[in-house]
Short mmCIF file of all heavy atoms in Angstrom, two decimals:
data_model
loop_
_atom_site.label_atom_id
_atom_site.label_comp_id
_atom_site.label_asym_id
_atom_site.label_seq_id
_atom_site.Cartn_x
_atom_site.Cartn_y
_atom_site.Cartn_z
N PHE A 1 -73.62 -199.37 68.08
CA PHE A 1 -74.75 -198.83 67.35
C PHE A 1 -76.02 -199.69 67.69
O PHE A 1 -77.13 -199.19 67.70
CB PHE A 1 -74.48 -198.78 65.84
CG PHE A 1 -73.62 -197.64 65.47
CD1 PHE A 1 -72.27 -197.66 65.57
CD2 PHE A 1 -74.19 -196.50 64.96
CE1 PHE A 1 -71.45 -196.58 65.23
CE2 PHE A 1 -73.38 -195.36 64.67
CZ PHE A 1 -72.04 -195.45 64.78
N GLY A 2 -75.80 -200.99 67.84
CA GLY A 2 -76.92 -201.85 68.24
C GLY A 2 -77.47 -201.46 69.58
O GLY A 2 -78.71 -201.41 69.80
N GLY A 3 -76.60 -201.19 70.56
CA GLY A 3 -77.04 -200.79 71.89
C GLY A 3 -77.66 -199.43 71.98
O GLY A 3 -78.72 -199.25 72.54
N VAL A 4 -76.95 -198.46 71.40
CA VAL A 4 -77.38 -197.03 71.54
C VAL A 4 -78.56 -196.72 70.62
O VAL A 4 -79.59 -196.18 71.07
CB VAL A 4 -76.20 -196.10 71.24
CG1 VAL A 4 -76.69 -194.68 71.25
CG2 VAL A 4 -75.11 -196.29 72.22
N VAL A 5 -78.39 -197.08 69.34
CA VAL A 5 -79.42 -196.67 68.35
C VAL A 5 -80.65 -197.60 68.40
O VAL A 5 -81.74 -197.15 68.59
CB VAL A 5 -78.85 -196.64 66.92
CG1 VAL A 5 -79.92 -196.26 65.92
CG2 VAL A 5 -77.66 -195.67 66.89
N ALA A 6 -80.35 -198.91 68.24
CA ALA A 6 -81.49 -199.87 68.24
C ALA A 6 -82.13 -200.01 69.59
O ALA A 6 -83.35 -199.95 69.73
CB ALA A 6 -80.98 -201.27 67.77
N GLY A 7 -81.28 -200.10 70.63
CA GLY A 7 -81.84 -200.26 71.98
C GLY A 7 -82.43 -199.03 72.53
O GLY A 7 -83.59 -198.96 72.97
N GLY A 8 -81.61 -197.94 72.55
CA GLY A 8 -82.01 -196.69 73.20
C GLY A 8 -82.91 -195.83 72.29
O GLY A 8 -84.05 -195.48 72.65
N GLY A 9 -82.46 -195.57 71.06
CA GLY A 9 -83.18 -194.70 70.13
C GLY A 9 -84.47 -195.26 69.72
O GLY A 9 -85.54 -194.63 69.86
N VAL A 10 -84.44 -196.49 69.17
CA VAL A 10 -85.71 -197.07 68.67
C VAL A 10 -86.65 -197.39 69.82
O VAL A 10 -87.85 -197.07 69.76
CB VAL A 10 -85.38 -198.41 67.86
CG1 VAL A 10 -86.68 -199.02 67.41
CG2 VAL A 10 -84.52 -198.00 66.62
N GLY A 11 -86.12 -198.04 70.84
CA GLY A 11 -86.98 -198.44 71.97
C GLY A 11 -87.67 -197.26 72.64
O GLY A 11 -88.86 -197.18 72.80
N ALA A 12 -86.84 -196.28 73.05
CA ALA A 12 -87.37 -195.11 73.77
C ALA A 12 -88.21 -194.26 72.83
O ALA A 12 -89.26 -193.76 73.20
CB ALA A 12 -86.24 -194.30 74.34
N GLY A 13 -87.73 -194.07 71.61
CA GLY A 13 -88.47 -193.14 70.68
C GLY A 13 -89.83 -193.70 70.30
O GLY A 13 -90.84 -192.95 70.36
N VAL A 14 -89.87 -194.99 69.99
CA VAL A 14 -91.19 -195.55 69.58
C VAL A 14 -92.10 -195.59 70.80
O VAL A 14 -93.31 -195.29 70.71
CB VAL A 14 -90.99 -196.94 69.01
CG1 VAL A 14 -92.32 -197.66 68.79
CG2 VAL A 14 -90.25 -196.81 67.68
N GLY A 15 -91.56 -196.02 71.98
CA GLY A 15 -92.41 -196.11 73.17
C GLY A 15 -93.00 -194.76 73.58
O GLY A 15 -94.18 -194.65 73.77
N ILE A 16 -92.11 -193.75 73.65
CA ILE A 16 -92.60 -192.42 74.11
C ILE A 16 -93.48 -191.86 73.00
O ILE A 16 -94.51 -191.21 73.32
CB ILE A 16 -91.42 -191.52 74.39
CG1 ILE A 16 -90.67 -192.08 75.64
CG2 ILE A 16 -91.88 -190.07 74.68
CD1 ILE A 16 -89.34 -191.29 75.90
N GLY A 17 -93.05 -191.95 71.81
CA GLY A 17 -93.88 -191.40 70.70
C GLY A 17 -95.25 -191.97 70.64
O GLY A 17 -96.21 -191.21 70.45
N ALA A 18 -95.33 -193.29 70.76
CA ALA A 18 -96.68 -193.90 70.68
C ALA A 18 -97.50 -193.49 71.87
O ALA A 18 -98.73 -193.18 71.72
CB ALA A 18 -96.49 -195.42 70.59
N GLY A 19 -96.91 -193.50 73.05
CA GLY A 19 -97.67 -193.20 74.25
C GLY A 19 -98.19 -191.79 74.29
O GLY A 19 -99.33 -191.49 74.47
N VAL A 20 -97.24 -190.83 74.12
CA VAL A 20 -97.59 -189.41 74.20
C VAL A 20 -98.46 -189.01 72.99
O VAL A 20 -99.43 -188.26 73.10
CB VAL A 20 -96.32 -188.49 74.25
CG1 VAL A 20 -96.68 -187.03 74.20
CG2 VAL A 20 -95.53 -188.88 75.47
N GLY A 21 -98.12 -189.56 71.81
CA GLY A 21 -98.90 -189.22 70.60
C GLY A 21 -100.34 -189.62 70.73
O GLY A 21 -101.25 -188.89 70.33
N ALA A 22 -100.53 -190.84 71.30
CA ALA A 22 -101.89 -191.30 71.48
C ALA A 22 -102.67 -190.50 72.55
O ALA A 22 -103.85 -190.20 72.41
CB ALA A 22 -101.90 -192.78 71.87
N ALA A 23 -101.90 -190.09 73.58
CA ALA A 23 -102.52 -189.32 74.62
C ALA A 23 -102.97 -187.96 74.17
O ALA A 23 -104.03 -187.42 74.58
CB ALA A 23 -101.56 -189.19 75.86
N ILE A 24 -102.16 -187.29 73.39
CA ILE A 24 -102.49 -185.94 72.92
C ILE A 24 -103.19 -185.95 71.57
O ILE A 24 -103.58 -184.89 70.99
CB ILE A 24 -101.27 -185.03 72.85
CG1 ILE A 24 -100.28 -185.53 71.82
CG2 ILE A 24 -100.59 -184.93 74.23
CD1 ILE A 24 -99.05 -184.63 71.58
N GLY A 25 -103.40 -187.13 71.02
CA GLY A 25 -104.10 -187.25 69.72
C GLY A 25 -103.31 -186.68 68.56
O GLY A 25 -103.90 -185.99 67.72
N SER A 26 -102.03 -186.85 68.56
CA SER A 26 -101.16 -186.25 67.49
C SER A 26 -100.42 -187.35 66.71
O SER A 26 -99.39 -187.84 67.24
CB SER A 26 -100.18 -185.24 68.11
OG SER A 26 -99.28 -184.79 67.15
N PRO A 27 -100.92 -187.74 65.51
CA PRO A 27 -100.14 -188.68 64.71
C PRO A 27 -98.79 -188.16 64.34
O PRO A 27 -97.76 -188.92 64.16
CB PRO A 27 -101.01 -188.83 63.50
CG PRO A 27 -102.37 -188.45 63.92
CD PRO A 27 -102.18 -187.40 64.93
N LEU A 28 -98.64 -186.81 64.20
CA LEU A 28 -97.36 -186.25 63.82
C LEU A 28 -96.33 -186.46 64.93
O LEU A 28 -95.18 -186.85 64.65
CB LEU A 28 -97.52 -184.75 63.61
CG LEU A 28 -96.19 -183.98 63.24
CD1 LEU A 28 -95.61 -184.48 61.97
CD2 LEU A 28 -96.49 -182.47 63.15
#
């Protein structure tokens, strides 16, 4: 769970969400 959820889910989710969200101007 540390590798899959914390490493993959949190890392990828936050990174992609922040990058794409900022690019398209969507806080949601």
